[in-house]
């Protein structure tokens, strides 16, 4: 059974930091893209960041560039999202996901500008991040 399990969410003050973890099991995700998405109440699930499993190439949505860092530990089969300088608008449920058919080591320029969520076929259950002002 394939599982993606997120952890690390919580309540933090504006300006603070959190690190989310996504531990995968049940299959290998080589040649996949791993992504983080988020969904605030009443809004659609939006792309945050992605990383290619094989070489760790990354892509970010503009609003988190310079504040969030996605990384991968291939030995632990875990994807991380380090979130710094958090703001109240970052409040959402954060989901880890895998695009197991991606097949490339690189993301093209502009990856994520069109929400790629429909390309992702495995999802975690989500972890709540709340940023207070």
């Amino acid at each position: 059974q394939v599982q993606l399990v997120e952890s690390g969410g919580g309540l933090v003050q504006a300006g603070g930091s959190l690190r989310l973890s996504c531990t995968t099991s049940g299959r290998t995700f080589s040649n996949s893209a791993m992504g983080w998405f988020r969904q605030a109440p009443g809004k659609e699930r939006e792309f945050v960041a992605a990383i290619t499993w094989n070489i760790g190439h990354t892509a970010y949505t503009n609003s988190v560039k310079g504040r969030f860092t996605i990384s991968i530990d291939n030995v632990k089969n875990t994807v991380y999202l380090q979130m710094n300088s958090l703001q109240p608008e970052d409040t959402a449920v954060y989901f880890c996901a895998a695009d197991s058919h991606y097949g490339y080591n690189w993301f093209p320029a502009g990856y994520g500008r069109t929400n790629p969520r429909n390309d992702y076929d495995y999802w975690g259950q989500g972890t709540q991040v709340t940023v207070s002002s």
Side-chain angles (χ1 to χ4, degrees), residues 7-51:
S7 61
L11 173 65
V12 64
Q13 287 189 329
S17 298
L18 284 173
R19 188 177 81 154
L20 305 183
S21 299
C22 171
T23 302
T24 69
S25 61
R27 62 161 286 169
T28 60
F29 285 103
S30 56
N31 301 315
S32 298
M34 304 299 296
W36 286 97
F37 293 76
R38 64 188 181 187
Q39 188 166 17
K43 295 189 176 181
E44 71 168 21
R45 192 170 300 187
E46 65 173 1
F47 169 76
V48 176
I51 189 167

Side-chain angles (χ1 to χ4, degrees), residues 21-120:
S21 299
C22 171
T23 302
T24 69
S25 61
R27 62 161 286 169
T28 60
F29 285 103
S30 56
N31 301 315
S32 298
M34 304 299 296
W36 286 97
F37 293 76
R38 64 188 181 187
Q39 188 166 17
K43 295 189 176 181
E44 71 168 21
R45 192 170 300 187
E46 65 173 1
F47 169 76
V48 176
I51 189 167
T52 59
W53 189 277
N54 288 353
I55 69 165
H57 189 238
T58 60
Y60 298 90
T61 193
N62 284 340
S63 64
V64 308
K65 282 180 182 176
R67 300 189 300 125
F68 291 11
T69 303
I70 188 171
S71 62
I72 195 164
D73 186 327
N74 303 82
V75 174
K76 295 183 178 179
N77 293 322
T78 299
V79 182
Y80 302 98
L81 185 68
Q82 177 67 43
M83 305 186 295
N84 299 328
S85 302
L86 282 161
Q87 299 301 316
E89 52 265 35
D90 296 315
T91 295
V93 177
Y94 282 70
F95 296 89
C96 174
D99 176 359
S100 65
H101 303 293
Y102 187 70
Y104 301 102
N105 287 333
W106 303 89
F107 294 113
Y111 181 88
R113 238 177 254 157
T114 302
N115 196 337
R117 72 167 184 263
N118 290 335
D119 296 331
Y120 285 72

